[in-house]
Coordinates of all heavy atoms in Angstrom, one line a residue:
M17 N -20.2 -11.3 9.5 CA -19.2 -11.2 8.5 C -19.5 -10.0 7.6 O -20.6 -9.8 7.2 CB -19.1 -12.5 7.7 CG -18.0 -12.5 6.6 SD -18.0 -14.0 5.6 CE -17.4 -15.2 6.7
G18 N -18.4 -9.2 7.3 CA -18.6 -8.0 6.5 C -18.7 -8.4 5.0 O -18.4 -9.5 4.6
K19 N -19.1 -7.4 4.3 CA -19.4 -7.6 2.8 C -18.1 -8.1 2.1 O -18.2 -9.0 1.2 CB -20.0 -6.3 2.2 CG -20.4 -6.5 0.8 CD -21.6 -7.4 0.7 CE -22.1 -7.5 -0.7 NZ -23.2 -8.5 -0.8
L20 N -17.0 -7.4 2.3 CA -15.8 -7.8 1.6 C -15.3 -9.2 2.0 O -14.9 -10.0 1.1 CB -14.6 -6.8 1.9 CG -14.8 -5.4 1.3 CD1 -13.7 -4.5 1.8 CD2 -14.8 -5.5 -0.2
N21 N -15.5 -9.6 3.2 CA -15.2 -11.0 3.6 C -16.1 -12.0 2.9 O -15.7 -13.1 2.5 CB -15.3 -11.1 5.1 CG -14.1 -10.5 5.9 OD1 -13.0 -10.5 5.4 ND2 -14.4 -9.8 7.0
E22 N -17.4 -11.6 2.8 CA -18.3 -12.5 2.1 C -17.9 -12.6 0.6 O -17.9 -13.8 0.1 CB -19.7 -11.9 2.1 CG -20.4 -12.0 3.5 CD -21.8 -11.4 3.5 OE1 -22.4 -11.3 2.4 OE2 -22.2 -11.0 4.6
I23 N -17.6 -11.5 -0.1 CA -17.2 -11.6 -1.5 C -15.9 -12.4 -1.6 O -15.7 -13.2 -2.5 CB -17.0 -10.2 -2.0 CG1 -18.3 -9.4 -2.1 CG2 -16.3 -10.2 -3.4 CD1 -18.2 -7.9 -2.3
A24 N -14.9 -12.2 -0.6 CA -13.7 -12.9 -0.7 C -13.9 -14.4 -0.5 O -13.2 -15.2 -1.2 CB -12.8 -12.4 0.4
Q25 N -14.8 -14.8 0.4 CA -15.1 -16.2 0.6 C -15.6 -16.8 -0.8 O -15.1 -17.9 -1.2 CB -16.2 -16.4 1.6 CG -16.8 -17.8 1.8 CD -15.9 -18.7 2.6 OE1 -15.4 -18.2 3.7 NE2 -15.7 -19.9 2.2
K26 N -16.5 -16.2 -1.5 CA -17.0 -16.7 -2.7 C -15.9 -16.7 -3.8 O -15.7 -17.7 -4.6 CB -18.1 -15.8 -3.3 CG -19.4 -15.9 -2.4 CD -20.5 -15.0 -3.0 CE -21.7 -15.0 -2.1 NZ -22.7 -14.0 -2.5
A27 N -15.0 -15.6 -3.8 CA -14.0 -15.6 -4.8 C -13.0 -16.7 -4.6 O -12.4 -17.3 -5.5 CB -13.3 -14.2 -4.8
Y28 N -12.7 -17.0 -3.3 CA -11.7 -18.0 -2.9 C -12.2 -19.4 -3.3 O -11.5 -20.2 -3.8 CB -11.5 -17.9 -1.4 CG -10.5 -18.9 -0.9 CD1 -9.1 -18.6 -1.1 CD2 -10.8 -20.0 -0.2 CE1 -8.1 -19.5 -0.6 CE2 -9.9 -20.9 0.3 CZ -8.5 -20.6 0.1 OH -7.6 -21.5 0.5
E29 N -13.5 -19.6 -3.0 CA -14.1 -20.9 -3.3 C -14.0 -21.2 -4.9 O -13.7 -22.3 -5.3 CB -15.6 -21.0 -2.8 CG -15.6 -21.1 -1.3 CD -17.0 -20.9 -0.8 OE1 -18.0 -20.7 -1.6 OE2 -17.2 -21.0 0.4
C30 N -14.3 -20.1 -5.6 CA -14.2 -20.2 -7.1 C -12.7 -20.5 -7.5 O -12.5 -21.3 -8.4 CB -14.7 -18.9 -7.7 SG -14.8 -18.9 -9.5
A31 N -11.8 -19.8 -6.9 CA -10.4 -20.0 -7.3 C -9.9 -21.4 -6.9 O -9.2 -22.0 -7.7 CB -9.5 -18.9 -6.5
V32 N -10.4 -21.9 -5.8 CA -10.0 -23.3 -5.4 C -10.6 -24.3 -6.4 O -10.0 -25.2 -6.9 CB -10.5 -23.6 -4.0 CG1 -10.3 -25.1 -3.7 CG2 -9.6 -22.8 -3.0
R33 N -11.9 -24.1 -6.7 CA -12.6 -25.0 -7.7 C -11.9 -25.0 -9.0 O -11.8 -26.0 -9.7 CB -14.1 -24.5 -7.8 CG -14.9 -25.4 -8.8 CD -16.3 -24.9 -9.0 NE -16.4 -23.5 -9.4 CZ -16.2 -23.1 -10.7 NH1 -15.9 -24.0 -11.6 NH2 -16.3 -21.8 -11.0
R34 N -11.4 -23.8 -9.5 CA -10.8 -23.7 -10.8 C -9.3 -24.1 -10.7 O -8.6 -24.0 -11.7 CB -10.9 -22.2 -11.3 CG -12.3 -21.8 -11.5 CD -12.4 -20.3 -11.9 NE -11.8 -20.0 -13.1 CZ -11.4 -18.8 -13.5 NH1 -11.6 -17.8 -12.7 NH2 -10.8 -18.6 -14.7
G35 N -8.8 -24.5 -9.6 CA -7.4 -24.9 -9.4 C -6.4 -23.8 -9.4 O -5.2 -24.1 -9.6
K36 N -6.8 -22.6 -9.1 CA -5.9 -21.5 -9.1 C -5.3 -21.3 -7.7 O -4.2 -20.7 -7.6 CB -6.7 -20.2 -9.5 CG -7.1 -20.2 -11.0 CD -7.8 -18.9 -11.4 CE -8.2 -18.9 -12.8 NZ -7.0 -18.8 -13.7
I37 N -5.9 -21.8 -6.7 CA -5.4 -21.8 -5.4 C -5.5 -23.2 -4.8 O -6.6 -23.8 -4.8 CB -6.1 -20.8 -4.4 CG1 -5.9 -19.3 -4.9 CG2 -5.5 -20.9 -3.0 CD1 -6.6 -18.3 -4.1
D38 N -4.4 -23.7 -4.2 CA -4.5 -25.0 -3.5 C -4.6 -24.6 -2.0 O -3.7 -24.0 -1.4 CB -3.2 -25.8 -3.7 CG -3.2 -27.1 -3.0 OD1 -4.0 -27.3 -2.1 OD2 -2.4 -28.0 -3.4
P39 N -5.8 -24.9 -1.4 CA -6.0 -24.5 0.0 C -5.1 -25.3 1.0 O -5.0 -24.8 2.1 CB -7.5 -24.8 0.2 CG -7.8 -25.8 -0.8 CD -6.9 -25.6 -1.9
D40 N -4.6 -26.4 0.6 CA -3.9 -27.3 1.5 C -2.4 -27.3 1.4 O -1.7 -27.8 2.3 CB -4.4 -28.7 1.3 CG -5.9 -28.8 1.5 OD1 -6.4 -28.2 2.4 OD2 -6.6 -29.5 0.6
N41 N -1.8 -26.8 0.3 CA -0.4 -26.9 0.1 C 0.1 -25.7 -0.6 O 0.0 -25.5 -1.8 CB -0.1 -28.2 -0.8 CG 1.4 -28.4 -0.9 OD1 2.2 -27.6 -0.5 ND2 1.8 -29.6 -1.4
D42 N 0.7 -24.8 0.2 CA 1.2 -23.5 -0.4 C 2.3 -23.6 -1.4 O 2.6 -22.7 -2.2 CB 1.6 -22.5 0.7 CG 0.4 -21.5 1.0 OD1 -0.3 -21.2 0.1 OD2 0.3 -21.1 2.2
S43 N 3.0 -24.8 -1.4 CA 4.1 -25.0 -2.4 C 3.5 -25.1 -3.8 O 4.2 -24.9 -4.8 CB 4.9 -26.2 -2.1 OG 4.2 -27.4 -2.2
N44 N 2.2 -25.3 -3.9 CA 1.5 -25.4 -5.2 C 1.0 -24.0 -5.6 O 0.5 -23.8 -6.7 CB 0.3 -26.3 -5.2 CG 0.8 -27.8 -5.0 OD1 1.9 -28.1 -5.5 ND2 0.0 -28.6 -4.4
N45 N 1.1 -23.0 -4.7 CA 0.6 -21.7 -5.0 C 1.7 -20.7 -5.3 O 2.8 -20.8 -4.8 CB -0.2 -21.1 -3.8 CG -1.5 -22.0 -3.5 OD1 -2.1 -22.4 -4.5 ND2 -1.8 -22.1 -2.2
N46 N 1.3 -19.7 -6.2 CA 2.2 -18.6 -6.5 C 1.4 -17.4 -6.5 O 1.1 -16.8 -7.6 CB 3.0 -18.8 -7.8 CG 4.2 -17.9 -7.8 OD1 4.2 -16.8 -7.3 ND2 5.2 -18.3 -8.5
L47 N 0.9 -16.9 -5.4 CA -0.1 -15.9 -5.3 C 0.3 -14.6 -5.8 O -0.4 -13.8 -6.4 CB -0.7 -15.8 -3.8 CG -1.2 -17.2 -3.3 CD1 -1.5 -17.1 -1.8 CD2 -2.5 -17.6 -4.1
H48 N 1.6 -14.2 -5.5 CA 2.1 -13.0 -6.0 C 2.2 -12.9 -7.5 O 1.8 -11.9 -8.1 CB 3.5 -12.7 -5.4 CG 3.5 -12.6 -3.9 ND1 3.8 -13.6 -3.1 CD2 3.2 -11.5 -3.1 CE1 3.6 -13.2 -1.8 NE2 3.3 -11.9 -1.8
R49 N 2.6 -14.0 -8.1 CA 2.7 -14.1 -9.6 C 1.2 -14.0 -10.2 O 1.0 -13.3 -11.2 CB 3.3 -15.5 -10.0 CG 3.4 -15.6 -11.5 CD 3.3 -17.1 -12.0 NE 2.1 -17.7 -11.5 CZ 2.0 -19.0 -11.2 NH1 3.0 -19.8 -11.4 NH2 0.9 -19.5 -10.8
D50 N 0.3 -14.7 -9.5 CA -1.1 -14.6 -10.0 C -1.6 -13.2 -10.0 O -2.3 -12.7 -11.0 CB -2.0 -15.5 -9.2 CG -1.7 -17.0 -9.3 OD1 -0.9 -17.3 -10.2 OD2 -2.1 -17.7 -8.4
L51 N -1.3 -12.4 -8.9 CA -1.7 -11.0 -8.9 C -1.0 -10.2 -9.9 O -1.7 -9.3 -10.6 CB -1.5 -10.4 -7.5 CG -2.0 -9.0 -7.2 CD1 -3.5 -8.9 -7.4 CD2 -1.6 -8.5 -5.9
L52 N 0.3 -10.4 -10.1 CA 1.0 -9.7 -11.1 C 0.5 -9.9 -12.5 O 0.4 -9.0 -13.3 CB 2.5 -10.1 -11.0 CG 3.5 -9.1 -11.6 CD1 3.4 -7.7 -11.0 CD2 4.9 -9.7 -11.4
E53 N 0.1 -11.1 -12.8 CA -0.4 -11.5 -14.1 C -1.7 -10.7 -14.3 O -2.0 -10.2 -15.5 CB -0.7 -13.0 -14.2 CG 0.6 -13.7 -14.4 CD 0.4 -15.3 -14.5 OE1 -0.8 -15.7 -14.3 OE2 1.4 -16.0 -14.6
E54 N -2.6 -10.6 -13.3 CA -3.8 -9.8 -13.5 C -3.5 -8.3 -13.7 O -4.2 -7.6 -14.5 CB -4.8 -10.0 -12.3 CG -5.3 -11.4 -12.2 CD -6.1 -11.9 -13.4 OE1 -6.5 -11.1 -14.3 OE2 -6.3 -13.1 -13.6
V55 N -2.5 -7.8 -13.0 CA -2.2 -6.4 -13.1 C -1.6 -6.2 -14.6 O -2.0 -5.2 -15.2 CB -1.1 -5.9 -12.1 CG1 -0.5 -4.6 -12.4 CG2 -1.7 -6.0 -10.7
A56 N -0.8 -7.1 -15.1 CA -0.3 -7.0 -16.4 C -1.5 -7.0 -17.4 O -1.4 -6.2 -18.4 CB 0.6 -8.2 -16.7
E57 N -2.5 -7.7 -17.2 CA -3.7 -7.7 -18.1 C -4.3 -6.4 -18.2 O -4.9 -6.0 -19.2 CB -4.6 -8.8 -17.7 CG -4.1 -10.2 -18.0 CD -5.0 -11.4 -17.6 OE1 -6.1 -11.1 -17.1 OE2 -4.6 -12.5 -17.8
V58 N -4.3 -5.6 -17.1 CA -4.9 -4.3 -17.1 C -4.1 -3.4 -18.1 O -4.7 -2.7 -18.8 CB -4.8 -3.6 -15.7 CG1 -5.2 -2.1 -15.7 CG2 -5.7 -4.4 -14.7
F59 N -2.8 -3.6 -18.1 CA -1.9 -2.7 -19.0 C -2.1 -3.2 -20.5 O -1.7 -2.4 -21.3 CB -0.5 -2.8 -18.6 CG -0.2 -2.0 -17.4 CD1 -0.3 -2.5 -16.1 CD2 0.1 -0.6 -17.5 CE1 -0.1 -1.7 -15.0 CE2 0.3 0.2 -16.4 CZ 0.2 -0.4 -15.1
E60 N -2.6 -4.3 -20.7 CA -2.8 -4.8 -22.1 C -4.2 -4.4 -22.6 O -4.5 -4.6 -23.8 CB -2.7 -6.4 -22.1 CG -1.4 -6.9 -21.8 CD -1.3 -8.4 -21.5 OE1 -2.4 -9.0 -21.6 OE2 -0.3 -8.9 -21.1
C61 N -5.0 -3.8 -21.8 CA -6.4 -3.4 -22.2 C -6.3 -2.2 -23.2 O -5.4 -1.4 -23.2 CB -7.2 -3.0 -21.0 SG -7.7 -4.3 -20.0
T62 N -7.4 -2.2 -24.1 CA -7.5 -1.2 -25.1 C -8.5 -0.1 -24.8 O -8.6 0.9 -25.4 CB -7.8 -1.8 -26.4 OG1 -9.1 -2.5 -26.3 CG2 -6.8 -2.8 -26.9
G63 N -9.3 -0.4 -23.7 CA -10.4 0.5 -23.4 C -11.7 0.2 -24.2 O -12.7 1.0 -24.2
E64 N -11.7 -0.9 -24.9 CA -12.9 -1.3 -25.7 C -13.8 -2.1 -24.8 O -13.4 -2.4 -23.6 CB -12.4 -2.2 -26.9 CG -11.4 -1.6 -27.8 CD -12.1 -0.4 -28.6 OE1 -13.2 -0.6 -29.1 OE2 -11.4 0.6 -28.7
K65 N -14.9 -2.5 -25.3 CA -15.9 -3.3 -24.6 C -15.2 -4.6 -24.2 O -14.5 -5.2 -25.0 CB -17.1 -3.6 -25.4 CG -18.1 -2.5 -25.3 CD -19.4 -2.9 -26.0 CE -20.4 -1.8 -25.9 NZ -21.7 -2.1 -26.6
S66 N -15.5 -5.1 -23.0 CA -15.0 -6.4 -22.6 C -15.6 -7.5 -23.6 O -16.7 -7.5 -23.9 CB -15.5 -6.7 -21.2 OG -15.4 -8.1 -20.9
P67 N -14.7 -8.4 -24.0 CA -15.2 -9.5 -24.8 C -16.0 -10.5 -24.0 O -16.7 -11.4 -24.6 CB -13.9 -10.2 -25.3 CG -12.9 -9.8 -24.3 CD -13.3 -8.5 -23.7
H68 N -16.0 -10.4 -22.7 CA -16.7 -11.4 -21.9 C -18.0 -10.9 -21.2 O -19.0 -11.6 -21.1 CB -15.8 -11.9 -20.8 CG -14.5 -12.4 -21.3 ND1 -13.3 -11.8 -21.0 CD2 -14.1 -13.4 -22.1 CE1 -12.3 -12.4 -21.6 NE2 -12.8 -13.4 -22.3
I69 N -17.9 -9.6 -20.8 CA -19.1 -9.0 -20.1 C -19.4 -7.7 -20.9 O -18.7 -6.6 -20.6 CB -18.7 -8.7 -18.6 CG1 -18.1 -9.9 -18.0 CG2 -20.0 -8.3 -17.9 CD1 -17.5 -9.7 -16.6
K70 N -20.4 -7.7 -21.7 CA -20.5 -6.6 -22.7 C -20.9 -5.2 -22.0 O -20.8 -4.2 -22.6 CB -21.5 -7.0 -23.7 CG -23.0 -7.2 -23.2 CD -23.9 -7.5 -24.4 CE -25.3 -7.6 -23.9 NZ -26.0 -8.7 -24.2
E71 N -21.4 -5.3 -20.8 CA -21.8 -4.0 -20.1 C -20.6 -3.2 -19.6 O -20.8 -2.1 -19.2 CB -22.7 -4.3 -18.9 CG -24.0 -5.0 -19.3 CD -23.9 -6.5 -19.1 OE1 -22.8 -7.1 -19.3 OE2 -24.9 -7.1 -18.7
Y72 N -19.4 -3.8 -19.7 CA -18.2 -3.2 -19.1 C -17.1 -3.1 -20.1 O -17.0 -3.9 -21.1 CB -17.8 -3.9 -17.9 CG -18.8 -3.8 -16.8 CD1 -19.7 -4.8 -16.6 CD2 -18.9 -2.7 -15.9 CE1 -20.7 -4.8 -15.6 CE2 -19.8 -2.6 -14.9 CZ -20.7 -3.6 -14.8 OH -21.7 -3.6 -13.8
L73 N -16.1 -2.2 -19.8 CA -14.9 -2.1 -20.6 C -13.9 -3.2 -20.2 O -14.0 -3.7 -19.1 CB -14.3 -0.7 -20.4 CG -15.1 0.5 -20.8 CD1 -14.4 1.8 -20.4 CD2 -15.6 0.5 -22.2
D74 N -13.0 -3.5 -21.1 CA -12.0 -4.5 -20.8 C -11.2 -4.1 -19.6 O -10.9 -5.0 -18.8 CB -11.2 -4.9 -22.0 CG -10.4 -3.7 -22.6 OD1 -10.6 -2.5 -22.1 OD2 -9.6 -3.9 -23.6
V75 N -10.9 -2.9 -19.5 CA -10.1 -2.4 -18.4 C -10.8 -2.5 -17.1 O -10.2 -2.9 -16.0 CB -9.5 -1.0 -18.6 CG1 -10.7 0.0 -18.6 CG2 -8.5 -0.6 -17.6
E76 N -12.1 -2.3 -17.1 CA -12.9 -2.5 -15.9 C -12.9 -4.0 -15.5 O -12.8 -4.3 -14.3 CB -14.3 -2.0 -16.1 CG -14.4 -0.5 -16.3 CD -15.7 0.0 -16.8 OE1 -16.4 -0.7 -17.5 OE2 -16.1 1.1 -16.4
E77 N -13.1 -4.9 -16.5 CA -13.1 -6.3 -16.2 C -11.8 -6.7 -15.6 O -11.7 -7.5 -14.6 CB -13.4 -7.1 -17.4 CG -13.3 -8.6 -17.2 CD -13.4 -9.5 -18.4 OE1 -13.6 -8.9 -19.5 OE2 -13.4 -10.7 -18.3
E78 N -10.7 -6.3 -16.1 CA -9.4 -6.7 -15.6 C -9.0 -6.1 -14.3 O -8.4 -6.7 -13.4 CB -8.3 -6.4 -16.6 CG -8.4 -7.2 -17.9 CD -8.5 -8.7 -17.8 OE1 -8.1 -9.2 -16.7 OE2 -9.1 -9.3 -18.6
L79 N -9.5 -4.9 -14.0 CA -9.3 -4.3 -12.7 C -10.2 -5.1 -11.7 O -9.7 -5.3 -10.5 CB -9.7 -2.8 -12.6 CG -8.7 -1.9 -13.2 CD1 -9.3 -0.5 -13.4 CD2 -7.5 -1.8 -12.4
A80 N -11.3 -5.6 -12.1 CA -12.1 -6.5 -11.2 C -11.3 -7.7 -10.9 O -11.3 -8.2 -9.8 CB -13.4 -6.8 -11.9
D81 N -10.6 -8.3 -11.9 CA -9.8 -9.5 -11.6 C -8.7 -9.2 -10.6 O -8.4 -10.1 -9.8 CB -9.2 -10.0 -12.9 CG -10.1 -10.9 -13.8 OD1 -11.1 -11.4 -13.2 OD2 -9.8 -11.1 -14.9
V82 N -8.1 -8.0 -10.7 CA -7.1 -7.6 -9.7 C -7.7 -7.7 -8.3 O -7.1 -8.2 -7.3 CB -6.5 -6.2 -10.0 CG1 -5.6 -5.8 -8.8 CG2 -5.7 -6.3 -11.3
I83 N -8.9 -7.1 -8.2 CA -9.6 -7.1 -6.9 C -9.9 -8.5 -6.4 O -9.7 -8.9 -5.2 CB -10.8 -6.2 -6.9 CG1 -10.5 -4.7 -7.2 CG2 -11.7 -6.4 -5.7 CD1 -11.6 -3.9 -7.5
I84 N -10.4 -9.3 -7.3 CA -10.8 -10.7 -7.0 C -9.6 -11.5 -6.5 O -9.7 -12.2 -5.5 CB -11.5 -11.3 -8.2 CG1 -12.9 -10.7 -8.4 CG2 -11.6 -12.8 -8.0 CD1 -13.5 -11.0 -9.8
V85 N -8.5 -11.4 -7.2 CA -7.3 -12.1 -6.8 C -6.8 -11.6 -5.5 O -6.4 -12.4 -4.6 CB -6.2 -12.1 -7.9 CG1 -4.9 -12.7 -7.5 CG2 -6.7 -12.8 -9.2
A86 N -6.8 -10.3 -5.3 CA -6.3 -9.8 -4.0 C -7.2 -10.2 -2.9 O -6.7 -10.6 -1.8 CB -6.3 -8.2 -4.1
L87 N -8.5 -10.2 -3.1 CA -9.5 -10.7 -2.0 C -9.3 -12.2 -1.8 O -9.2 -12.6 -0.6 CB -10.9 -10.4 -2.5 CG -11.4 -9.0 -2.4 CD1 -12.8 -8.9 -3.0 CD2 -11.3 -8.4 -1.0
S88 N -9.1 -13.0 -2.8 CA -8.9 -14.4 -2.6 C -7.6 -14.7 -1.9 O -7.5 -15.5 -1.0 CB -8.8 -15.1 -4.0 OG -10.0 -15.0 -4.7
T89 N -6.5 -13.9 -2.2 CA -5.3 -14.1 -1.5 C -5.4 -13.7 0.0 O -4.9 -14.5 0.8 CB -4.2 -13.2 -2.2 OG1 -4.1 -13.6 -3.6 CG2 -2.8 -13.3 -1.5
L90 N -6.0 -12.6 0.3 CA -6.2 -12.2 1.7 C -7.0 -13.2 2.4 O -6.8 -13.5 3.6 CB -6.9 -10.8 1.7 CG -5.9 -9.7 1.4 CD1 -6.7 -8.4 1.1 CD2 -4.9 -9.4 2.5
H91 N -8.1 -13.8 1.8 CA -8.9 -14.8 2.4 C -8.0 -16.1 2.7 O -8.1 -16.7 3.8 CB -10.1 -15.2 1.5 CG -11.0 -16.2 2.2 ND1 -12.0 -15.8 3.1 CD2 -11.1 -17.5 2.1 CE1 -12.6 -16.9 3.5 NE2 -12.1 -17.9 2.9
H92 N -7.2 -16.4 1.7 CA -6.3 -17.6 1.9 C -5.4 -17.3 3.2 O -5.1 -18.3 3.9 CB -5.4 -17.7 0.7 CG -4.5 -18.9 0.7 ND1 -5.0 -20.2 0.6 CD2 -3.1 -19.0 0.9 CE1 -4.0 -21.1 0.7 NE2 -2.8 -20.4 0.9
F93 N -5.0 -16.1 3.4 CA -4.2 -15.7 4.6 C -5.0 -15.6 5.9 O -4.5 -15.2 6.9 CB -3.4 -14.4 4.4 CG -2.4 -14.5 3.3 CD1 -2.0 -13.4 2.6 CD2 -1.8 -15.7 2.9 CE1 -1.1 -13.4 1.5 CE2 -0.8 -15.8 1.9 CZ -0.5 -14.6 1.2
K94 N -6.3 -15.9 5.8 CA -7.3 -15.8 6.9 C -7.4 -14.4 7.4 O -7.5 -14.2 8.7 CB -6.9 -16.8 8.0 CG -6.9 -18.2 7.4 CD -6.8 -19.3 8.5 CE -6.7 -20.7 8.0 NZ -7.2 -21.0 6.7
C95 N -7.3 -13.4 6.6 CA -7.4 -12.0 7.0 C -8.8 -11.5 7.1 O -9.7 -11.9 6.3 CB -6.7 -11.2 5.9 SG -6.7 -9.4 6.2
D96 N -9.1 -10.7 8.1 CA -10.4 -10.0 8.2 C -10.3 -8.8 7.3 O -9.8 -7.7 7.7 CB -10.7 -9.6 9.7 CG -12.0 -8.9 9.8 OD1 -12.6 -8.4 8.8 OD2 -12.5 -8.8 10.9
I97 N -10.8 -8.9 6.1 CA -10.6 -7.9 5.1 C -11.3 -6.6 5.3 O -10.8 -5.5 5.1 CB -10.9 -8.5 3.7 CG1 -10.1 -9.8 3.4 CG2 -10.7 -7.5 2.6 CD1 -10.6 -10.6 2.3
D98 N -12.5 -6.7 5.8 CA -13.3 -5.5 6.1 C -12.6 -4.7 7.2 O -12.4 -3.4 7.0 CB -14.7 -5.9 6.6 CG -15.6 -6.5 5.5 OD1 -16.2 -5.7 4.8 OD2 -15.5 -7.7 5.4
S99 N -12.0 -5.3 8.2 CA -11.3 -4.6 9.2 C -10.0 -4.0 8.7 O -9.6 -2.9 9.0 CB -11.0 -5.5 10.4 OG -12.2 -5.8 11.0
L100 N -9.3 -4.8 7.9 CA -8.1 -4.4 7.2 C -8.3 -3.1 6.4 O -7.5 -2.2 6.5 CB -7.5 -5.5 6.4 CG -6.3 -5.1 5.5 CD1 -5.1 -4.7 6.3 CD2 -6.0 -6.2 4.5
I101 N -9.3 -3.2 5.5 CA -9.5 -2.0 4.6 C -9.9 -0.8 5.4 O -9.4 0.3 5.1 CB -10.6 -2.3 3.6 CG1 -10.1 -3.5 2.7 CG2 -11.0 -1.1 2.8 CD1 -8.9 -3.2 1.8
E102 N -10.7 -0.9 6.5 CA -11.0 0.2 7.3 C -9.8 0.8 8.0 O -9.6 2.0 8.0 CB -12.1 -0.2 8.3 CG -12.5 1.0 9.2 CD -13.6 0.6 10.2 OE1 -14.1 -0.6 10.1 OE2 -14.0 1.4 11.0
A103 N -8.9 -0.1 8.5 CA -7.7 0.3 9.2 C -6.8 1.0 8.2 O -6.2 2.1 8.5 CB -7.0 -0.9 9.8
K104 N -6.7 0.5 7.0 CA -5.7 1.1 6.0 C -6.3 2.4 5.5 O -5.5 3.3 5.3 CB -5.6 0.1 4.9 CG -4.6 0.6 3.8 CD -3.2 0.8 4.3 CE -2.3 1.3 3.1 NZ -1.0 1.8 3.6
M105 N -7.6 2.5 5.3 CA -8.1 3.8 4.9 C -8.0 4.9 6.0 O -7.7 6.0 5.7 CB -9.6 3.6 4.5 CG -9.7 2.9 3.1 SD -11.3 2.7 2.5 CE -11.7 4.4 2.1
N106 N -8.1 4.4 7.2 CA -7.9 5.4 8.3 C -6.5 5.8 8.4 O -6.2 7.0 8.6 CB -8.3 4.7 9.7 CG -9.8 4.7 9.9 OD1 -10.5 5.6 9.4 ND2 -10.3 3.8 10.7
Y107 N -5.6 4.9 8.1 CA -4.2 5.3 8.1 C -3.9 6.3 6.9 O -3.2 7.3 7.1 CB -3.3 4.0 7.9 CG -1.8 4.3 7.7 CD1 -1.0 4.8 8.8 CD2 -1.3 4.1 6.5 CE1 0.3 5.1 8.5 CE2 0.1 4.4 6.2 CZ 0.8 4.9 7.3 OH 2.2 5.1 7.1
N108 N -4.5 6.0 5.8 CA -4.2 6.8 4.6 C -4.9 8.2 4.7 O -4.4 9.2 4.1 CB -4.8 6.2 3.3 CG -4.0 5.0 2.9 OD1 -2.8 4.8 3.3 ND2 -4.5 4.2 2.0
K109 N -5.9 8.3 5.5 CA -6.7 9.6 5.6 C -5.8 10.8 6.0 O -6.1 11.9 5.6 CB -7.8 9.3 6.7 CG -8.9 10.4 6.7 CD -10.1 9.9 7.5 CE -9.7 9.5 8.9 NZ -10.8 9.0 9.7
N110 N -4.9 10.5 6.9 CA -4.0 11.6 7.3 C -2.7 11.7 6.7 O -1.8 12.6 7.1 CB -3.9 11.5 8.9 CG -5.2 11.6 9.6 OD1 -6.0 12.5 9.2 ND2 -5.4 10.8 10.5
R111 N -2.4 10.8 5.7 CA -1.1 10.9 5.0 C -1.1 12.0 4.1 O -2.1 12.4 3.4 CB -0.9 9.6 4.3 CG -0.7 8.4 5.2 CD -0.5 7.1 4.4 NE 0.7 7.1 3.6 CZ 1.2 6.1 2.9 NH1 0.5 5.0 2.9 NH2 2.3 6.2 2.2
M112 N 0.1 12.6 3.9 CA 0.3 13.7 3.0 C 1.2 13.3 1.9 O 1.5 14.1 1.0 CB 0.9 14.9 3.7 CG 0.0 15.4 4.8 SD -1.7 15.9 4.3 CE -1.3 17.4 3.3
D113 N 1.6 12.0 1.8 CA 2.5 11.6 0.7 C 1.7 10.7 -0.2 O 0.6 10.3 0.0 CB 3.7 10.8 1.3 CG 3.2 9.6 2.0 OD1 2.0 9.5 2.5 OD2 4.0 8.6 2.2
Ligands
MG21 MG1 -7.9 -11.2 -16.1

């Protein structure tokens, strides 16, 4: 298992434990809304120190949340994230737009 898949597994287990993702019933999930809420939190940042993790800025913490929610969502979809990211970066490598 690749590193991103390992991180996603841990993030997913945490999201399930916290009640943010229902692994058994997608009608209880709103994964797009959850990601959008984390993106909105990035725009609310001031660039000050994070109130939760003092070694980082608030914007860094919220960008981490975007990544964590994206990884959890992809894991929920049973995606091989390491392969996906490699494929997408290869695709982007030659793009000019
Ligand atoms: Mg957040």
Side-chain angles (χ1 to χ4, degrees):
M17 183 183 285
K19 187 67 178 172
L20 290 173
N21 288 322
E22 287 179 25
I23 295 169
Q25 170 83 40
K26 290 179 187 172
Y28 185 76
E29 288 169 1
C30 184
V32 169
R33 180 182 57 76
R34 295 173 67 198
K36 293 180 176 290
I37 297 177
D38 183 339
D40 303 317
N41 186 352
D42 262 330
S43 67
N44 293 328
N45 294 324
N46 196 332
L47 301 170
H48 296 96
R49 181 206 59 207
D50 295 344
L51 182 61
L52 198 57
E53 285 177 359
E54 293 299 345
V55 170
E57 289 178 4
V58 172
F59 285 89
E60 295 166 3
C61 288
T62 61
E64 302 292 318
K65 277 188 179 179
S66 162
H68 309 115
I69 311 168
K70 66 178 185 232
E71 302 94 326
Y72 294 96
L73 302 176
D74 59 354
V75 66
E76 294 171 325
E77 179 187 358
E78 295 306 337
L79 284 168
D81 275 345
V82 171
I83 293 168
I84 289 165
V85 172
L87 288 174
S88 298
T89 301
L90 286 165
H91 184 83
H92 185 71
F93 295 152
K94 304 190 182 336
C95 178
D96 181 341
I97 303 164
D98 292 273
S99 295
L100 168 66
I101 296 298
E102 184 176 354
K104 181 60 180 170
M105 288 182 69
N106 280 336
Y107 173 72
N108 286 348
K109 192 166 54 182
N110 297 318
R111 289 177 69 172
M112 298 303 288
D113 62 337

